[in-house]
Amino acid sequence: MPGPTLDDLPDGIVVAPEVAEALGAGGAVVALESTIISHGLPRPTNLDVARQIEGAVRDQGAVPATIAIVDGIIRIGLDDAALAVIAGSDEVVKASVRDLAVVVAAKGHGATTVASTAELAARVGIGVFATGGLGGVHRGAADSFDESADLTTLGATPITVVSAGVKSILDVAATLERLETLNVTVVGYGTDRFPGFYLADSGHAVPHRVDSPDEVAAVMAARRTIGSTAALLVANPLPEDRQVDPVLHDRVLTDGLDAATAAGVTGKDVTPFLLAHFHEASGGESLRANTEIILANAALAGRIAVAAA
């Protein structure tokens, strides 16, 4: 299927010259979200990790394209000054697809989620996207209807996403059911088990397995041939010896869910609340794992992008 061209973009979307050059030449480009920088990691660690994430993509021969809104301009690829704004400003809004126009109109700063990053990346023709973990169906969603826009967006966006499964704070079984309903193709990278972000195994199997970037690239090519319109999710687990200790994980998660309920935290604020709780209550283990997850996924996405190019 022919993709969009950079000439079709409106004035409010700016593609960094390096990214535009790579896309124009059919080269390897990896989209990166910015919510992990603004809301997922503590300062000042977040800016250093943001640079490391881009470096992990470059080390594989691909061009990183971190996506964010800076002063009301959607930017596909950030320079270091823009990265510093997203990492350091208190005015950065967590912007999913529904929030983009509001942030742009206000000429504000916005960090893109999985959903908005995927949509904007696909809009400019980027085929591979690396993140930490997807959003999904929240626990208790049968009563609250709390489900991440990541799922419905990926159900309508033909992009390859590398993640460590979905965040372990979610209802993983329900999330996998929704991914199936939305026709999102799920493959385990070097594993038959679906990872749970901090955990190498969420307790659920994956329907398909791949073991190399070339295999992923072959699936991507076949999807283009048949006209697939939903995402391909490449689930890349942490090695078992690098996961957060499951006993520690379960205790901290239970305490965090109780704290969120007591504080009245709901909706899109639940994830950053729980991630902050994990960071505080796990003795730094969650931050260590979170950093290793995104760096590993960025590197794998770089290899996949090179293979696909």
Side-chain angles (χ1 to χ4, degrees):
M1 295 176 64
T5 68
L6 298 183
D7 292 337
D8 298 329
L9 297 179
D11 292 339
I13 300 179
V14 174
V15 180
E18 179 187 27
V19 176
E21 181 180 356
L23 289 173
V29 178
V30 174
L32 301 168
E33 59 148 303
S34 47
T35 292
I36 190 172
I37 303 169
S38 64
H39 292 78
L41 296 168
R43 300 175 187 169
T45 302
N46 58 342
L47 180 56
D48 180 57
V49 173
R51 292 167 177 152
Q52 291 181 47
I53 295 167
E54 292 198 343
V57 173
R58 292 188 190 281
D59 287 346
Q60 306 307 318
V63 174
T66 304
I67 298 177
I69 305 171
V70 181
D71 292 324
I73 302 297
I74 294 171
R75 295 180 57 168
I76 313 296
L78 304 182
D79 56 24
D80 202 61
L83 270 180
V85 169
I86 297 301
S89 173
D90 294 329
E91 306 302 319
V92 178
V93 176
K94 181 181 178 183
S96 190
V97 176
R98 68 172 188 174
D99 308 303
L100 292 174
V102 177
V103 179
V104 169
K107 300 189 185 305
H109 304 318
T112 53
T113 63
V114 168
S116 52
T117 304
E119 176 156 307
L120 292 168
R123 177 78 181 274
V124 302
I126 298 174
V128 181
F129 164 33
T131 185
L134 298 186
V137 179
H138 284 252
R139 297 167 189 244
D143 298 317
S144 67
F145 294 93
D146 193 354
E147 176 182 314
S148 173
D150 293 355
L151 300 183
T152 51
T153 300
L154 294 182
T157 307
I159 194 167
T160 297
V161 183
V162 180
S163 86
V166 299
K167 297 179 176 70
S168 51
I169 60 179
L170 302 173
D171 185 330
V172 179
T175 300
L176 285 169
E177 289 291 344
R178 287 292 287 139
L179 288 169
E180 179 182 0
T181 299
L182 294 166
N183 293 317
V184 175
T185 301
V186 179
V187 299
Y189 190 84
T191 182
D192 298 304
R193 309 297 296 172
F194 190 71
F197 197 58
Y198 294 131
L199 302 177
D201 183 355
S202 69
H204 301 273
V206 290
H208 308 285
R209 172 175 175 152
V210 293
D211 292 294
S212 71
D214 286 339
E215 287 185 53
V216 179
V219 175
M220 292 169 65
R223 284 164 49 82
R224 288 192 297 272
T225 297
I226 64 177
S228 297
T229 56
L232 165 63
L233 172 59
V234 180
N236 183 39
L238 273 178
E240 192 170 331
D241 63 353
R242 301 303 298 168
Q243 70 177 347
V244 172
D245 176 73
V247 174
L248 172 65
H249 171 276
D250 291 350
R251 175 176 60 79
V252 173
L253 176 58
T254 298
D255 292 345
L257 290 168
D258 290 343
T261 299
V265 178
T266 59
K268 68 178 183 179
D269 296 323
V270 171
T271 295
F273 179 92
L274 288 176
L275 290 176
H277 176 79
F278 260 93
H279 175 59
E280 294 170 3
S282 68
E285 265 296 279
S286 69
L287 176 60
R288 186 272 307 165
N290 200 0
T291 302
E292 290 186 17
I293 285 167
I294 185 57
L295 291 175
N297 290 346
L300 177 57
R303 293 195 293 275
I304 291 170
V306 169

Coordinates of all heavy atoms in Angstrom, one line a residue, residues 110-184:
G110 N 3.5 19.1 24.4 CA 2.8 17.8 24.6 C 3.8 16.6 24.4 O 4.6 16.6 23.4
A111 N 3.7 15.7 25.3 CA 4.4 14.4 25.1 C 3.5 13.4 24.5 O 2.4 13.2 25.0 CB 5.0 13.9 26.4
T112 N 3.9 12.7 23.5 CA 3.0 11.8 22.8 C 3.0 10.4 23.5 O 4.0 9.9 23.9 CB 3.4 11.6 21.3 OG1 4.8 11.2 21.2 CG2 3.1 12.9 20.5
T113 N 1.8 9.8 23.5 CA 1.6 8.5 24.1 C 1.9 7.4 23.0 O 2.2 7.8 21.8 CB 0.2 8.3 24.6 OG1 -0.7 8.5 23.4 CG2 -0.2 9.3 25.6
V114 N 1.7 6.2 23.3 CA 1.8 5.1 22.3 C 0.8 5.4 21.1 O 1.2 5.4 19.9 CB 1.5 3.7 22.9 CG1 1.3 2.7 21.7 CG2 2.7 3.3 23.8
A115 N -0.4 5.8 21.5 CA -1.5 6.0 20.5 C -1.1 7.2 19.6 O -1.1 7.0 18.3 CB -2.8 6.3 21.1
S116 N -0.8 8.3 20.1 CA -0.5 9.5 19.3 C 0.8 9.4 18.5 O 0.9 9.8 17.4 CB -0.5 10.8 20.1 OG 0.3 10.7 21.3
T117 N 1.8 8.7 19.2 CA 3.0 8.5 18.4 C 2.8 7.6 17.2 O 3.3 7.9 16.1 CB 4.1 7.8 19.4 OG1 4.3 8.7 20.5 CG2 5.4 7.7 18.7
A118 N 2.1 6.5 17.4 CA 1.8 5.6 16.3 C 1.1 6.3 15.2 O 1.4 6.1 14.0 CB 1.0 4.4 16.8
E119 N 0.1 7.1 15.5 CA -0.7 7.8 14.5 C 0.1 8.8 13.7 O 0.1 8.8 12.5 CB -1.9 8.5 15.1 CG -2.7 9.3 14.1 CD -4.1 9.5 14.5 OE1 -4.8 8.5 14.8 OE2 -4.6 10.6 14.5
L120 N 0.9 9.6 14.5 CA 1.8 10.6 13.8 C 2.9 9.9 13.0 O 3.2 10.4 11.9 CB 2.3 11.6 14.8 CG 1.3 12.5 15.5 CD1 1.8 13.2 16.7 CD2 0.7 13.4 14.5
A121 N 3.5 8.9 13.5 CA 4.5 8.2 12.8 C 4.0 7.6 11.5 O 4.7 7.8 10.4 CB 5.1 7.1 13.7
A122 N 2.9 7.0 11.5 CA 2.3 6.4 10.3 C 1.9 7.5 9.3 O 2.1 7.3 8.1 CB 1.1 5.6 10.7
R123 N 1.5 8.7 9.9 CA 1.1 9.8 9.0 C 2.3 10.2 8.1 O 2.1 10.7 7.0 CB 0.7 10.9 9.9 CG 0.3 12.2 9.2 CD -1.1 12.1 8.6 NE -1.4 13.3 7.8 CZ -2.0 14.4 8.4 NH1 -2.3 14.4 9.7 NH2 -2.3 15.5 7.6
V124 N 3.5 10.2 8.6 CA 4.7 10.6 7.8 C 5.4 9.5 7.2 O 6.4 9.7 6.5 CB 5.7 11.4 8.7 CG1 5.0 12.6 9.3 CG2 6.3 10.6 9.8
G125 N 4.9 8.2 7.3 CA 5.5 7.1 6.6 C 6.5 6.3 7.4 O 7.3 5.6 6.8
I126 N 6.6 6.5 8.7 CA 7.5 5.7 9.5 C 6.8 4.4 9.8 O 5.7 4.4 10.3 CB 7.9 6.4 10.8 CG1 8.6 7.7 10.5 CG2 8.7 5.5 11.7 CD1 8.9 8.6 11.7
G127 N 7.5 3.3 9.6 CA 6.9 2.0 9.7 C 7.2 1.2 11.0 O 6.6 0.2 11.3
V128 N 8.2 1.7 11.8 CA 8.6 1.0 13.0 C 8.6 1.9 14.2 O 9.1 3.1 14.0 CB 10.0 0.3 12.8 CG1 10.4 -0.5 14.1 CG2 10.0 -0.6 11.6
F129 N 8.2 1.5 15.3 CA 8.0 2.3 16.5 C 8.4 1.5 17.7 O 8.0 0.4 17.9 CB 6.5 2.8 16.6 CG 6.0 3.3 17.9 CD1 6.8 4.1 18.7 CD2 4.7 3.2 18.2 CE1 6.4 4.6 19.9 CE2 4.2 3.7 19.4 CZ 5.0 4.4 20.2
A130 N 9.2 2.1 18.6 CA 9.7 1.5 19.8 C 9.1 2.2 21.0 O 9.1 3.4 21.1 CB 11.2 1.4 19.9
T131 N 8.6 1.4 22.0 CA 8.1 1.9 23.2 C 8.5 1.0 24.4 O 9.1 0.0 24.1 CB 6.6 2.1 23.2 OG1 6.1 2.8 24.3 CG2 5.8 0.8 23.0
G132 N 8.1 1.3 25.6 CA 8.3 0.4 26.7 C 7.3 -0.6 26.8 O 7.5 -1.8 26.5
G133 N 6.1 -0.2 27.2 CA 4.9 -1.2 27.3 C 3.7 -0.4 26.8 O 3.5 0.8 27.0
L134 N 2.8 -1.2 26.2 CA 1.5 -0.6 25.8 C 0.6 -0.3 26.9 O 0.6 -1.0 28.0 CB 0.8 -1.6 24.8 CG 1.5 -2.0 23.5 CD1 0.5 -2.9 22.7 CD2 1.9 -0.8 22.7
G135 N -0.4 0.6 26.7 CA -1.5 0.7 27.5 C -2.5 -0.4 27.2 O -2.3 -1.1 26.2
G136 N -3.5 -0.6 27.9 CA -4.5 -1.6 27.6 C -5.7 -1.5 28.4 O -6.2 -0.4 28.8
V137 N -6.3 -2.7 28.7 CA -7.6 -2.7 29.5 C -7.2 -2.7 31.0 O -6.4 -3.5 31.5 CB -8.4 -4.0 29.2 CG1 -9.6 -4.0 30.1 CG2 -8.7 -4.1 27.7
H138 N -7.7 -1.7 31.7 CA -7.4 -1.6 33.2 C -8.2 -2.6 34.0 O -9.3 -3.1 33.6 CB -7.7 -0.2 33.6 CG -6.6 0.8 33.2 ND1 -5.7 1.4 34.1 CD2 -6.4 1.3 32.0 CE1 -4.9 2.2 33.4 NE2 -5.3 2.2 32.1
R139 N -7.6 -2.9 35.1 CA -8.3 -3.8 36.1 C -9.6 -3.1 36.5 O -9.7 -1.9 36.7 CB -7.5 -4.1 37.3 CG -6.2 -4.8 36.9 CD -5.2 -4.8 38.1 NE -3.9 -5.3 37.7 CZ -3.3 -6.4 38.2 NH1 -3.9 -7.1 39.1 NH2 -2.2 -6.8 37.7
G140 N -10.7 -3.9 36.5 CA -12.0 -3.3 36.8 C -12.7 -2.6 35.7 O -13.7 -1.9 35.9
A141 N -12.2 -2.8 34.5 CA -12.8 -2.1 33.3 C -14.2 -2.5 33.0 O -14.9 -1.7 32.4 CB -11.9 -2.3 32.1
A142 N -14.7 -3.6 33.5 CA -16.0 -4.0 33.3 C -17.0 -3.0 34.0 O -18.1 -2.8 33.5 CB -16.3 -5.4 33.9
D143 N -16.5 -2.3 35.0 CA -17.3 -1.3 35.7 C -16.9 0.1 35.3 O -17.8 1.0 35.1 CB -17.2 -1.4 37.2 CG -17.7 -2.8 37.8 OD1 -18.7 -3.2 37.3 OD2 -17.0 -3.4 38.6
S144 N -15.7 0.3 35.1 CA -15.2 1.7 34.8 C -15.1 2.0 33.3 O -15.0 3.2 32.9 CB -13.8 1.9 35.4 OG -12.8 1.1 34.7
F145 N -15.1 1.0 32.4 CA -14.9 1.1 31.0 C -13.5 1.8 30.7 O -13.3 2.4 29.7 CB -16.0 2.0 30.3 CG -17.3 1.3 30.4 CD1 -18.2 1.5 31.4 CD2 -17.7 0.4 29.4 CE1 -19.5 0.9 31.4 CE2 -18.9 -0.2 29.4 CZ -19.8 0.0 30.4
D146 N -12.5 1.6 31.6 CA -11.2 2.2 31.5 C -10.3 1.4 30.6 O -9.8 0.3 31.0 CB -10.6 2.4 32.8 CG -9.4 3.3 32.8 OD1 -9.0 3.7 31.7 OD2 -8.9 3.7 33.9
E147 N -10.2 1.9 29.3 CA -9.3 1.2 28.4 C -8.5 2.2 27.6 O -9.0 3.2 27.2 CB -10.2 0.4 27.4 CG -9.5 -0.3 26.3 CD -10.4 -1.0 25.3 OE1 -11.3 -1.7 25.7 OE2 -10.2 -0.8 24.1
S148 N -7.2 1.9 27.4 CA -6.3 2.8 26.8 C -6.7 3.0 25.3 O -7.0 2.1 24.6 CB -4.9 2.3 26.9 OG -4.0 3.1 26.1
A149 N -6.5 4.2 24.9 CA -6.7 4.5 23.4 C -5.6 3.9 22.6 O -5.7 3.8 21.4 CB -6.7 6.0 23.2
D150 N -4.5 3.4 23.2 CA -3.5 2.7 22.5 C -4.1 1.5 21.7 O -3.7 1.3 20.5 CB -2.4 2.1 23.5 CG -1.6 3.1 24.2 OD1 -1.8 4.3 23.9 OD2 -0.8 2.7 25.1
L151 N -5.1 0.8 22.3 CA -5.6 -0.4 21.6 C -6.4 0.0 20.4 O -6.1 -0.6 19.3 CB -6.5 -1.1 22.6 CG -5.8 -1.6 23.9 CD1 -6.7 -2.4 24.7 CD2 -4.5 -2.4 23.6
T152 N -7.3 0.9 20.5 CA -8.1 1.2 19.3 C -7.3 1.9 18.2 O -7.6 1.7 17.0 CB -9.3 2.1 19.7 OG1 -8.9 3.2 20.4 CG2 -10.3 1.3 20.5
T153 N -6.3 2.7 18.6 CA -5.5 3.3 17.6 C -4.6 2.3 16.9 O -4.5 2.3 15.6 CB -4.5 4.4 18.3 OG1 -5.3 5.4 18.9 CG2 -3.6 5.0 17.2
L154 N -4.1 1.3 17.6 CA -3.3 0.3 17.0 C -4.2 -0.6 16.1 O -3.7 -1.2 15.1 CB -2.5 -0.5 18.0 CG -1.4 0.2 18.8 CD1 -0.7 -0.8 19.7 CD2 -0.4 0.9 17.8
G155 N -5.4 -0.7 16.4 CA -6.3 -1.5 15.6 C -6.6 -0.8 14.3 O -7.2 -1.5 13.4
A156 N -6.2 0.4 14.1 CA -6.5 1.2 12.9 C -5.3 1.8 12.3 O -5.4 2.6 11.3 CB -7.6 2.2 13.1
T157 N -4.1 1.4 12.7 CA -2.8 2.0 12.3 C -1.8 0.9 11.9 O -1.4 0.2 12.7 CB -2.2 2.9 13.4 OG1 -3.2 3.8 13.9 CG2 -1.0 3.6 12.9
P158 N -1.5 0.9 10.6 CA -0.5 -0.1 10.1 C 0.9 0.2 10.4 O 1.7 0.7 9.5 CB -0.8 -0.1 8.6 CG -1.2 1.3 8.3 CD -2.0 1.8 9.5
I159 N 1.3 -0.1 11.6 CA 2.7 0.2 12.0 C 3.2 -1.0 12.9 O 2.4 -1.7 13.5 CB 2.8 1.5 12.9 CG1 4.2 2.0 13.0 CG2 2.1 1.4 14.2 CD1 4.3 3.5 13.5
T160 N 4.5 -1.2 12.9 CA 5.1 -2.2 13.7 C 5.6 -1.6 15.0 O 6.4 -0.7 15.0 CB 6.3 -2.9 13.0 OG1 5.8 -3.5 11.8 CG2 7.0 -3.9 13.8
V161 N 5.1 -2.2 16.1 CA 5.4 -1.6 17.4 C 6.2 -2.7 18.2 O 5.8 -3.8 18.4 CB 4.2 -1.3 18.2 CG1 4.5 -0.7 19.6 CG2 3.3 -0.3 17.4
V162 N 7.4 -2.3 18.7 CA 8.2 -3.1 19.6 C 7.9 -2.7 21.0 O 8.2 -1.5 21.4 CB 9.7 -3.0 19.2 CG1 10.5 -3.9 20.2 CG2 9.9 -3.4 17.8
S163 N 7.5 -3.6 21.9 CA 7.2 -3.3 23.3 C 7.5 -4.5 24.1 O 7.5 -5.6 23.6 CB 5.8 -2.8 23.5 OG 4.9 -3.8 23.7
A164 N 7.6 -4.3 25.4 CA 7.7 -5.4 26.4 C 6.3 -5.8 26.8 O 6.0 -5.9 28.0 CB 8.5 -5.0 27.6
G165 N 5.5 -6.1 25.8 CA 4.1 -6.5 26.1 C 3.3 -5.3 26.6 O 3.4 -4.2 26.0
V166 N 2.5 -5.5 27.6 CA 1.7 -4.4 28.2 C 2.1 -4.3 29.6 O 2.6 -5.2 30.2 CB 0.2 -4.6 28.0 CG1 -0.3 -4.7 26.6 CG2 -0.3 -5.9 28.8
K167 N 1.8 -3.1 30.1 CA 2.2 -2.8 31.5 C 1.5 -3.8 32.5 O 0.3 -4.1 32.4 CB 1.9 -1.4 31.9 CG 2.7 -0.4 31.0 CD 2.3 1.1 31.4 CE 3.2 2.0 30.6 NZ 2.8 2.1 29.2
S168 N 2.3 -4.3 33.4 CA 1.8 -5.4 34.3 C 0.8 -4.9 35.3 O 0.2 -5.7 36.0 CB 3.0 -6.0 35.1 OG 3.8 -4.9 35.7
I169 N 0.5 -3.5 35.3 CA -0.5 -3.0 36.2 C -1.9 -3.2 35.6 O -2.9 -2.9 36.2 CB -0.3 -1.5 36.4 CG1 -0.3 -0.7 35.1 CG2 1.0 -1.3 37.2 CD1 -0.1 0.8 35.3
L170 N -2.0 -3.7 34.3 CA -3.2 -3.8 33.6 C -3.8 -5.2 33.7 O -3.2 -6.2 34.3 CB -3.0 -3.5 32.1 CG -2.4 -2.1 31.8 CD1 -2.1 -2.0 30.4 CD2 -3.4 -1.0 32.3
D171 N -5.0 -5.4 33.2 CA -5.7 -6.7 33.0 C -5.1 -7.3 31.7 O -5.6 -7.0 30.6 CB -7.2 -6.5 33.0 CG -7.9 -7.9 32.9 OD1 -7.4 -8.8 32.4 OD2 -9.1 -7.9 33.4
V172 N -4.1 -8.1 31.8 CA -3.4 -8.6 30.6 C -4.3 -9.5 29.8 O -4.3 -9.4 28.6 CB -2.1 -9.3 31.0 CG1 -1.4 -9.8 29.8 CG2 -1.2 -8.4 31.8
A173 N -5.0 -10.4 30.4 CA -5.9 -11.3 29.7 C -6.9 -10.5 28.8 O -7.1 -10.8 27.7 CB -6.6 -12.2 30.6
A174 N -7.5 -9.5 29.5 CA -8.5 -8.7 28.7 C -7.9 -7.9 27.6 O -8.5 -7.7 26.5 CB -9.3 -7.8 29.7
T175 N -6.7 -7.4 27.9 CA -6.0 -6.7 26.8 C -5.7 -7.5 25.6 O -5.8 -7.1 24.5 CB -4.7 -6.1 27.4 OG1 -5.0 -5.2 28.5 CG2 -3.9 -5.3 26.4
L176 N -5.2 -8.7 25.8 CA -4.9 -9.7 24.7 C -6.2 -10.0 24.0 O -6.2 -10.1 22.7 CB -4.3 -10.9 25.3 CG -2.8 -10.8 25.7 CD1 -2.4 -12.0 26.4 CD2 -1.9 -10.6 24.5
E177 N -7.3 -10.1 24.7 CA -8.6 -10.3 24.0 C -9.0 -9.2 23.1 O -9.4 -9.3 22.0 CB -9.7 -10.6 25.0 CG -9.6 -11.9 25.7 CD -9.9 -13.1 24.8 OE1 -10.5 -12.9 23.7 OE2 -9.6 -14.2 25.2
R178 N -8.8 -7.9 23.6 CA -9.1 -6.7 22.8 C -8.1 -6.6 21.6 O -8.6 -6.2 20.5 CB -9.0 -5.5 23.7 CG -10.1 -5.4 24.7 CD -11.4 -5.1 24.0 NE -11.5 -3.7 23.5 CZ -12.0 -3.4 22.3 NH1 -12.4 -4.3 21.5 NH2 -12.0 -2.1 21.9
L179 N -6.9 -7.0 21.8 CA -5.9 -6.9 20.6 C -6.4 -7.9 19.6 O -6.3 -7.6 18.4 CB -4.5 -7.3 21.1 CG -3.8 -6.2 21.9 CD1 -2.5 -6.8 22.6 CD2 -3.5 -5.0 21.1
E180 N -6.9 -9.0 19.9 CA -7.4 -10.0 19.0 C -8.6 -9.5 18.2 O -8.7 -9.5 17.0 CB -7.7 -11.3 19.6 CG -8.2 -12.4 18.7 CD -8.6 -13.7 19.4 OE1 -8.5 -13.8 20.6 OE2 -9.1 -14.6 18.7
T181 N -9.5 -8.9 19.0 CA -10.7 -8.3 18.4 C -10.4 -7.2 17.4 O -11.1 -7.1 16.4 CB -11.6 -7.8 19.5 OG1 -12.0 -8.9 20.4 CG2 -12.9 -7.2 18.9
L182 N -9.4 -6.4 17.7 CA -9.0 -5.3 16.9 C -8.1 -5.7 15.8 O -7.6 -4.8 15.0 CB -8.4 -4.2 17.8 CG -9.3 -3.6 18.8 CD1 -8.5 -2.8 19.8 CD2 -10.3 -2.7 18.1
N183 N -7.8 -7.0 15.6 CA -7.0 -7.5 14.5 C -5.5 -7.1 14.6 O -4.8 -7.0 13.6 CB -7.6 -7.1 13.1 CG -8.9 -7.8 12.9 OD1 -9.0 -9.0 13.2 ND2 -9.9 -7.0 12.4
V184 N -5.0 -6.8 15.8 CA -3.6 -6.4 16.0 C -2.8 -7.8 16.0 O -3.1 -8.6 16.8 CB -3.4 -5.6 17.3 CG1 -1.9 -5.5 17.5 CG2 -4.1 -4.3 17.2

